Amino acid sequence: MQNFRDKPTAVRTDLLPVLAGIAVAISGVGVALALADVQSPLRAPFILFFLFAGPACGIAAALSRAAPAARAATAAAGALVIDLLVAQTRSSPHTLTVGGGIIAVAAITALLFLRALGRRMRKPELINPADRLTKGIKKIRSGRFHT
């Protein structure tokens, strides 16, 4: 008889994209509710999720080579710093609005993701582990690899 424990790797590999999709959906609904100025009980928790998870994921993507624990701690602290700096710079000239703060945080998050994407585009071997293997094989065959 087959049970759930027979395929734990499939669950682990499929769970991360599903959780990322759920996070993007929650953030998108929160941003849409805030920018449309809809009064809903879901607006505040979804926006708080976006304000924390967006910059944290952007920082984590930018720090792909760091250890997982260090990356998580840095991403959490960095998200808090980004939110506080946006609030401080927007409140100094007394122009703090909900939409303006959300757009500023979204822009910073997009820049962080674009930085990580640019680094991956410059180094295609970071995209697929098989590419790293073929690059290593080509290096060995060309004689540039000395043991």
Side-chain angles (χ1 to χ4, degrees), residues 119-138:
R119 186 176 63 230
R120 285 186 179 259
M121 288 177 68
R122 283 193 309 265
K123 296 182 180 180
E125 67 269 4
L126 294 176
I127 296 173
N128 189 357
D131 290 340
R132 282 188 262 161
L133 178 66
T134 57
K135 185 177 179 183
I137 291 171
K138 288 178 184 176

Side-chain angles (χ1 to χ4, degrees), residues 68-78:
R71 186 168 49 178
T74 305

Side-chain angles (χ1 to χ4, degrees), residues 32-34 36-44 98:
L33 289 173
D37 201 24
V38 175
Q39 298 300 322
S40 170
L42 297 176
R43 178 180 166 179
V98 174

Side-chain angles (χ1 to χ4, degrees), residues 37-133:
D37 201 24
V38 175
Q39 298 300 322
S40 170
L42 297 176
R43 178 180 166 179
F46 284 8
I47 282 298
L48 287 175
F49 181 79
F50 167 74
L51 289 176
F52 182 74
C57 290
I59 292 171
L63 299 174
S64 61
R65 292 185 180 183
R71 186 168 49 178
T74 305
L80 185 63
V81 167
I82 287 172
D83 290 337
L84 290 174
L85 285 175
V86 166
Q88 178 65 36
T89 56
R90 302 279 304 166
S91 66
S92 296
H94 303 292
T95 60
L96 183 62
T97 60
V98 174
I102 290 170
I103 290 172
V105 170
I108 292 170
T109 302
L111 289 174
L112 288 168
F113 276 118
L114 286 174
R115 179 184 182 273
L117 179 65
R119 186 176 63 230
R120 285 186 179 259
M121 288 177 68
R122 283 193 309 265
K123 296 182 180 180
E125 67 269 4
L126 294 176
I127 296 173
N128 189 357
D131 290 340
R132 282 188 262 161
L133 178 66

